[in-house]
Amino acid sequence: MSEVADGRPRRPGRAGREGFVRARFITGFLAAPVLLYLVYVISPYAQAFSIAMTDWRGVSAAPRFVGLANFGRLLGDGVFWRAVGHNALLLVLLPLLTLAIALFFAFLLNAGGQGGGVAGVWGSGFYRVVFFFPQVLAVAIVAVLFQQVFRPDGSGMLNGPLIALGLEPVGFLSDPGVAFWSILAVLVWQAVGFYVVLFSAGMASIPREMFEAARIDGAGRVQLFARVTLPLLWETVQVGWIYLGIAALDVFALVWVMTAEHGGPDHSTTVMAAEVYRNAFQYFKFGYASAMGVVLFFFTVAFAVLALRLSRRERIEF
């Protein structure tokens, strides 16, 4: 027989009744959110899986069941696998470049000041606002903005000075060998500011005494970053890597608005999401597009699981 805090014996079964009441309260509280999640998140996934097994064209009332035929077609679709290759390249380069640049700037803002101590640079608050500014712009606005930046004539921000100097303009969006890297540069430009602010907040939470102790022991800026800052920010970096990886697999609007032929030229910038949209709403192959979406879904889930496993390390308390 258990006892409560004042020493009086508790009647048998009271704990069980309290647990039942608590469980009923939690269940009732979560019922509506779970129902909404099932209807608006799980249900569309289930419908996409079922549509991927048909030849539905978006208008027919009774689509024909074709089993795994759509997935078999994907194996021989060169354009789709080219899109997969572009997403895979973005999956590696976008997180790597964005996180590296964001960590560098965040460390400068928080520990790159002058003097013997550890302090941020002068005006770091203003720089955070400037870095974060691209986040307030809609993706379509960013795409239209950089269409003008990359213009191949004299009015382009980049090609204008080249033409004025008598040099050949660069086809940032018209050259198949350059267009993909132009898209990658815009993605990094748009994303890096958010992670500068995120990492700055994480660094601000690290006790300054840890930096001071490392400086007293003779650590330089590089050692401060590698031995103190990065290990204590590892969980934040891990989350950022997963978010950016998912963003790399979900790139659509920027490619669709910026590039010629919505993924061109010559499919040099196309991605999986663009091929899903093209097949569904231009070619009206909703069953085939759903099969692409299912493949994209499993790629995203597999990446998230692998990223969590590979980046797992012992948590450091401070």
Side-chain angles (χ1 to χ4, degrees):
M1 182 179 297
S2 61
E3 294 183 353
V4 294
D6 58 4
R8 291 180 298 174
R10 176 181 294 173
R11 289 182 300 172
R14 181 178 177 182
R17 288 196 300 272
E18 291 177 351
F20 174 75
V21 172
R22 184 165 54 250
R24 187 173 59 180
F25 172 76
I26 295 174
T27 303
F29 187 78
L30 293 177
V34 170
L35 180 62
L36 291 173
Y37 186 81
L38 290 174
V39 171
Y40 292 107
V41 178
I42 302 301
S43 175
Y45 280 127
Q47 293 178 43
F49 295 154
S50 63
I51 293 172
M53 300 289 185
T54 70
D55 64 350
W56 189 44
R57 297 186 63 83
V59 293
S60 58
R64 183 169 60 93
F65 180 78
V66 296
L68 300 177
N70 287 325
F71 296 97
R73 286 179 57 193
L74 284 178
L75 296 176
D77 190 337
V79 174
F80 176 73
W81 287 108
R82 192 169 185 183
V84 171
H86 292 153
N87 277 115
L89 199 55
L90 288 174
L91 188 61
V92 175
L93 295 178
L94 180 60
L96 185 64
L97 294 175
T98 302
L99 295 180
I101 295 172
L103 282 169
F104 174 75
F105 283 123
F107 186 72
L108 287 182
L109 293 177
N110 289 272
Q114 298 294 325
V118 180
V121 297
W122 182 84
S124 58
F126 170 76
Y127 292 132
R128 290 191 186 97
V129 174
V130 172
F131 281 126
F132 192 78
F133 178 72
Q135 293 296 313
V136 306
L137 299 177
V139 178
I141 294 176
V142 172
V144 173
L145 173 66
F146 275 92
Q147 275 185 324
Q148 302 307 311
V149 172
F150 292 146
R151 283 179 65 94
D153 53 28
S155 61
M157 184 180 294
L158 298 179
N159 278 320
L162 295 179
I163 294 174
L165 293 172
L167 302 176
E168 288 292 327
V170 178
F172 290 103
L173 297 177
S174 59
D175 186 344
V178 179
F180 175 81
W181 304 107
S182 301
I183 295 294
L184 175 61
V186 177
L187 288 170
V188 172
W189 177 85
Q190 185 186 24
V192 72
F194 174 80
Y195 292 96
V196 168
V197 176
L198 180 66
F199 293 148
S200 294
M203 292 178 190
S205 67
I206 300 174
R208 310 305 291 179
E209 293 80 5
M210 301 187 72
F211 290 109
E212 297 291 350
R215 290 297 299 272
I216 292 173
D217 290 338
R221 300 287 186 189
V222 175
Q223 291 174 315
L224 277 177
F225 175 79
R227 300 293 181 86
V228 179
T229 306
L230 188 58
L232 295 177
L233 280 181
W234 186 253
E235 289 188 354
T236 307
V237 174
Q238 181 188 42
V239 172
W241 191 282
I242 294 173
Y243 282 175
L244 284 166
I246 294 174
L249 290 171
D250 196 35
V251 171
F252 169 72
L254 202 67
V255 170
W256 197 262
V257 175
M258 279 188 66
T259 59
E261 304 168 3
H262 306 302
D266 193 24
H267 304 294
S268 61
T269 59
T270 191
V271 290
M272 285 189 282
E275 292 306 312
V276 171
Y277 185 92
R278 192 192 320 277
N279 280 273
F281 298 104
Q282 289 187 345
Y283 305 152
F284 297 101
K285 299 178 181 178
F286 280 82
Y288 190 52
S290 295
M292 292 181 178
V294 170
V295 173
L296 177 57
F297 168 78
F298 282 111
F299 277 166
T300 305
V301 172
F303 163 75
V305 172
L306 286 175
L308 285 172
R309 283 190 170 274
L310 294 177
S311 60
R312 182 182 301 170
R313 59 194 300 179
E314 185 177 352
R315 185 176 183 180
I316 300 176
E317 301 287 348
F318 58 90

